[in-house]
């Protein structure tokens, strides 16, 4: 086997390139041809459905009895090229109180047969509430549940809306799995004598505007961004706004599903490779307001339930795979430029994008009920753009590559409302490092990456601080992928994977001062024996340690699995040092 052929096979193994399933299939189907679910399911000896789960802290609930409503029950079969499934939504009317301390969205689904993982979205009035990935089914069937705290969308949920759900699925003689889903929302009334919900800077927004596609378009309401093009949406806000935050949802697909393993273009050109996975290992989502960049997202490396090796994610799924994170960018310093009652525009761009990125956003707006018009001014805005530094050292298709990037965005502006004249200072700081090794004539790839993402918001009057929040996130990733040609028509594939999501947060204002800490780390290992497109044998294991704590609540869970079976599962609500 030539060294170039070995590298191309490894790139195929890492990229999970999409099948050409049909002429209408969306290009965010992500799979490599030798990871066929029907072959993987043959490795399982279970005869009953398996419960899949993502390790995360439970939603903190009051002791009150919830008012629960089934919003949608639907079977997602062949849904490519179709508009989202729609349902009418009305606010709860039979609850003893309209003062809700917590609102929880619950997704429940089952599937049996052969099917790939699918990205799906849930929107209410065009506002994205949940972006998720389905689990990959087995012949014996699977079940899973996602519970998400959607209390921040309170104002949206108190009005009649249209619910939209898109799950692009394909069903034919080969891909037989139909996703049977139910969506329920649980409203938990505030406890007696708990007081009204906090208003002001620390509260949920009074108005949430969708920055998304029209609800009747095919294949979801998200913007599709590929090959470094832009997508935008026009909007108008009320003139009595005093705070605004844009919440951005991000997912990456096709040749960029594993963008952090993509190769530098100079290496591809020097070795005359035909791979489409180029443009290097760095990506960022740039958010612009009326043509001016106001912030960025350097996304967490979510690995979907079919990613790298689907065996690793049974039954413990990858961090963020069932509830993809969203990212907040403070717009308040720029309010003075959009309080004129005219139409303005948000635009999104993905640096170095290949294939397709699905981007959507929600604009959260706080309104001053004591005035009909506020005023503001942008005082200072600075963007130190991302400068990518690449150091390459390779001979043929063996070598190493170090990519480093840093960036910062800072903005200061004031808004005058019934809260007074408040100056808001918002900052974002990013650091990125990706060290990649190619060895064994293309049979080995190692990626060691760190993303640091720090942001802060400080709102203060001339005499005191009204609201402040700081967040420090760290996303480590380590990947070891090796192919071994056994010489008898079989290939052994070895994968070692470490994935982490760590965050330290400090908040002062609204509901008081609080500090929170999250440490979430996954380790996976697998060895597979493959012959042609068939998985002949395999062994795999996944371990995860999750630890969260704040001033009111602590939670930990340590869980490990091997070959579809849970070996150890310990959880509790005590704080650990």
């Amino acid at each position: 086997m030539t060294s170039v052929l070995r590298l191309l096979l490894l790139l195929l193994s890492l990229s999970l390139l999409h099948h050409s399933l049909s002429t209408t299939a969306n290009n965010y189907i992500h799979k490599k041809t030798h990871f066929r679910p029907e072959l993987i399911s043959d490795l399982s000896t279970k005869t009953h459905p398996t419960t899949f789960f993502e390790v995360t802290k439970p939603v903190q609930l009051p002791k009150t009895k919830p008012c629960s409503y089934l919003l949608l029950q639907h079977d997602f079969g062949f849904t490519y090229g179709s508009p989202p499934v729609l349902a009418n939504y009305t606010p709860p009317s039979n609850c003893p109180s309209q003062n809700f301390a917590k609102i929880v969205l619950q997704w429940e689904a089952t599937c049996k047969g052969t099917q790939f993982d699918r990205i799906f979205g849930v929107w209410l009035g065009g506002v994205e509430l949940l972006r998720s990935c389905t689990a990959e089914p087995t012949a014996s069937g699977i079940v899973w549940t996602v519970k998400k705290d959607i209390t921040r969308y309170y104002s949206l949920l108190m009005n009649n809306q249209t619910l939209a759900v898109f799950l692009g699925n394909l069903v034919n003689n080969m891909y037989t799995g139909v996703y049977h889903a139910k969506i329920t929302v649980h409203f938990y009334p505030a406890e007696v004598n708990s007081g009204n919900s906090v208003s002001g800077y620390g509260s949920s927004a009074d108005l949430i505007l969708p920055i998304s596609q029209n609800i009747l378009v095919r294949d979801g309401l998200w913007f599709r961004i590929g090959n470094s093009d832009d997508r935008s949406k026009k909007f108008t806000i009320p003139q009595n706004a005093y705070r605004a935050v844009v919440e951005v949802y991000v997912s990456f697909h096709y040749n960029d599903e594993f963008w952090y393993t993509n190769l530098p273009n100079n290496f591809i050109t020097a070795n005359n490779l035909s791979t489409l996975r180029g443009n290097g290992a760095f990506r960022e989502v740039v958010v612009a307001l009326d043509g001016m960049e106001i912030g960025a997202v350097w996304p967490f490396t979510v690995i979907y339930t079919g990613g790298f090796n689907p065996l690793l994610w049974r039954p413990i799924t990858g961090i963020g795979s069932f509830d993809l994170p969203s990212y907040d960018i403070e717009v308040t310093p720029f309010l003075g430029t959009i309080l004129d009652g005219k139409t303005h525009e948000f635009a999104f761009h993905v640096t170095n994008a290949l294939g397709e990125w699905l981007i959507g956003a929600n604009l959260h707006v706080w309104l001053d009920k004591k005035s009909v018009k506020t005023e503001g001014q942008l005082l200072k805005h600075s963007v130190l753009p991302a400068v990518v530094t690449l150091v390459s050292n390779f001979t043929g298709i063996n070598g190493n590559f170090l990519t480093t990037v840093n960036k910062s965005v800072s903005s200061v502006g004031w808004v005058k409302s019934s809260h007074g004249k408040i100056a808001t200072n918002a900052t974002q700081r990013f650091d990125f490092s990706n060290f990649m090794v190619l060895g064994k004539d293309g049979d080995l790839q190692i990626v060691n990456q760190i993303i640091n993402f720090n942001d802060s918001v400080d709102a203060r009057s001339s005499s005191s601080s009204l609201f402040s929040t700081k967040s420090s996130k760290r996303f480590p990733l380590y990947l070891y992928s090796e192919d071994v040609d056994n010489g008898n028509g079989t290939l052994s594939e070895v994968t070692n994977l470490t994935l982490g999501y760590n965050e330290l947060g400090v908040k002062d204002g609204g509901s008081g001062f609080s500090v929170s800490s999250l440490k979430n780390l996954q380790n996976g290992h697998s060895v597979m024996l493959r012959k042609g497109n068939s998985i002949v044998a395999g062994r795999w294991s996944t371990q995860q340690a999750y630890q969260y704590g704040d001033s009111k609540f602590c939670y930990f869970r340590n869980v490990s699995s091997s070959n579809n079976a849970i070996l150890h599962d310990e959880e509790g609500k005590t704080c650990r040092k």
Side-chain angles (χ1 to χ4, degrees):
M1 182 182 296
T2 67
S3 59
V4 172
L5 181 58
R6 287 193 186 100
L7 180 60
L8 290 176
L9 287 174
L10 179 61
L11 295 176
L12 176 65
S13 175
L14 285 174
S15 65
L16 306 186
L17 291 180
H18 309 51
H19 288 298
S20 179
L21 297 176
S22 73
T23 57
T24 59
N26 290 316
N27 63 357
Y28 51 88
I29 306 169
H30 35 273
K31 210 54 50 202
K32 58 184 178 183
T33 53
H34 59 272
F35 275 159
R36 296 186 184 276
E38 69 269 22
L39 298 173
I40 293 172
S41 64
D42 292 340
L43 300 182
S44 175
T45 59
K46 289 191 175 184
T47 58
H48 57 277
T50 301
T51 299
F52 286 55
F53 60 94
E54 179 185 341
V55 176
T56 187
K57 69 179 186 296
V59 180
Q60 296 174 251
L61 301 173
K63 298 179 180 179
T64 55
K65 182 180 179 180
C67 302
S68 300
Y69 302 90
L70 177 64
L71 301 185
L72 179 71
Q73 184 166 351
H74 189 79
D75 299 333
F76 291 90
F78 197 114
T79 51
Y80 279 114
S82 300
V85 176
L86 304 181
N88 293 326
Y89 168 85
T90 57
S93 58
N94 298 323
C95 290
S97 170
Q98 295 295 299
N99 181 19
F100 300 112
K102 196 72 67 174
I103 306 174
V104 178
L105 180 74
Q106 179 172 306
W107 164 280
E108 301 171 275
T110 64
C111 191
K112 185 177 182 179
T114 299
Q115 197 53 263
F116 291 148
D117 51 354
R118 310 295 191 187
I119 291 294
F120 69 90
V122 178
W123 295 265
L124 189 64
V127 171
E128 190 165 3
L129 301 182
L130 171 68
R131 187 175 301 193
S132 183
C133 175
T134 65
E136 288 199 345
T138 64
S140 57
I142 60 168
V143 298
W144 83 97
T145 300
V146 181
K147 294 182 179 180
K148 180 174 182 178
D149 184 351
I150 59 170
T151 312
R152 73 180 297 188
Y153 305 98
Y154 181 93
S155 61
L156 179 77
L157 291 157
M158 292 301 104
N159 295 281
N160 293 343
Q161 306 285 353
T162 298
L163 178 77
V165 182
F166 177 75
L167 192 165
N169 198 23
L170 182 73
V171 176
N172 54 27
N173 292 335
M174 178 176 291
Y175 308 106
T176 59
V178 174
Y179 288 103
H180 309 282
K182 291 197 305 183
I183 299 177
T184 307
V185 64
H186 306 283
F187 294 85
Y188 290 84
E191 297 180 48
V192 178
N193 299 324
S194 65
N196 295 326
S197 60
V198 177
S199 61
Y201 274 76
S203 66
S204 58
D206 301 294
L207 176 68
I208 306 174
L209 300 175
I211 310 298
S212 61
Q213 299 260 53
N214 187 286
I215 205 167
L216 296 179
V217 300
R218 293 183 176 186
D219 301 330
L221 279 68
W222 33 50
F223 299 109
R224 293 169 181 78
I225 299 178
N227 302 319
S228 298
D229 53 359
D230 295 349
R231 293 291 183 269
S232 63
K233 176 69 175 289
K234 294 182 178 180
F235 68 96
T236 302
I237 65 168
Q239 291 183 271
N240 62 335
Y242 67 88
R243 187 188 178 198
V245 172
V246 63
E247 175 193 19
V248 183
Y249 281 88
V250 175
S251 58
F252 23 84
H253 310 277
Y254 199 44
N255 291 316
D256 265 359
E257 181 176 345
F258 306 101
W259 45 269
Y260 39 88
T261 68
N262 281 21
L263 299 170
N265 291 336
N266 65 331
F267 171 82
I268 294 173
T269 301
N271 287 282
N272 196 28
L273 299 177
S274 60
T275 178
L276 300 177
R277 293 179 50 250
N279 283 7
F282 170 73
R283 301 291 185 273
E284 72 164 342
V285 180
V286 176
V287 181
L289 175 61
D290 292 338
M292 176 173 56
E293 179 180 347
I294 64 168
V297 174
W298 291 16
F300 172 69
T301 50
V302 176
I303 299 175
Y304 310 129
T305 56
F308 290 114
N309 180 350
L311 301 175
L312 290 173
W313 316 120
R314 301 181 171 192
I316 306 171
T317 69
I319 297 172
S321 59
F322 279 174
D323 183 7
L324 273 71
S326 61
Y327 308 86
D328 288 349
I329 297 175
E330 192 76 21
V331 183
T332 309
F334 304 90
L335 272 183
T337 66
I338 58 176
L339 283 171
D340 52 10
K342 298 180 180 180
T343 299
H344 297 273
E345 186 175 41
F346 274 114
F348 305 94
H349 172 87
V350 183
T351 302
N352 297 329
L354 293 171
E356 194 162 60
W357 288 61
L358 304 181
I359 309 292
N362 307 319
L363 181 59
H364 298 248
V365 183
W366 285 254
L367 303 176
D368 186 0
K369 299 177 178 61
K370 297 181 180 180
S371 68
V372 295
K373 192 177 189 321
T374 57
E375 58 178 314
Q377 183 181 0
L378 176 65
L379 299 176
K380 182 181 178 182
H381 178 56
S382 174
V383 178
L384 296 181
V387 178
V388 179
T389 299
L390 172 64
V391 178
S392 300
N393 180 18
F394 61 89
T395 301
I397 58 174
N398 294 313
N400 54 70
F401 313 91
L402 175 62
T403 305
T404 58
V405 194
N406 56 71
K407 177 175 181 170
S408 66
V409 182
S410 62
S411 308
V412 182
W414 61 261
V415 175
K416 187 176 182 180
S417 68
S418 63
H419 295 280
K421 187 176 182 180
I422 307 300
T424 299
N425 186 342
T427 62
Q428 290 184 313
R429 292 185 177 87
F430 305 89
D431 289 289
F432 173 93
S433 174
N434 179 295
F435 183 67
M436 186 186 307
V437 176
L438 292 177
K440 299 185 66 175
D441 292 332
D443 284 340
L444 172 68
Q445 184 176 26
I446 301 172
V447 175
N448 200 333
Q449 176 176 287
I450 294 287
I451 298 175
N452 291 308
F453 174 23
N454 302 319
D455 61 341
S456 66
V457 177
D458 182 64
R460 61 178 60 240
S461 66
S462 58
S463 58
S464 63
S465 176
L466 186 65
F467 173 82
S468 67
T469 179
K470 294 182 180 180
S471 174
S472 297
K473 299 181 179 70
R474 185 175 178 86
F475 306 148
L477 176 134
Y478 173 81
L479 171 68
Y480 176 100
S481 180
E482 181 181 5
D483 289 353
V484 179
D485 189 345
N486 299 317
N488 57 357
T490 64
L491 188 72
S492 296
E493 298 183 0
V494 179
T495 303
N496 293 319
L497 180 68
T498 298
L499 184 64
Y501 189 115
N502 304 317
E503 181 175 8
L504 179 65
V506 179
K507 185 176 180 179
D508 187 11
S511 57
F513 181 82
S514 63
V515 178
S516 62
S517 173
L518 171 62
K519 297 178 181 179
N520 192 4
L521 187 68
Q522 267 184 329
N523 289 289
H525 172 74
S526 71
V527 179
M528 290 192 311
L529 184 65
R530 179 167 63 85
K531 185 174 184 178
N533 287 336
S534 300
I535 298 176
V536 179
R539 63 181 187 272
W540 61 96
S541 63
T542 302
Q543 304 84 37
Q544 186 164 358
Y546 182 101
Q547 183 175 335
Y548 174 85
D550 60 32
S551 56
K552 298 180 180 179
F553 176 74
C554 291
Y555 177 79
F556 73 88
R557 186 173 185 181
N558 294 324
V559 59
S560 61
S561 66
S562 178
N563 298 354
N564 283 331
I566 296 294
L567 300 180
H568 173 80
D569 194 355
E570 177 189 10
E571 67 177 334
K573 294 184 179 180
T574 58
C575 293
R576 290 185 164 188
K577 295 184 179 180

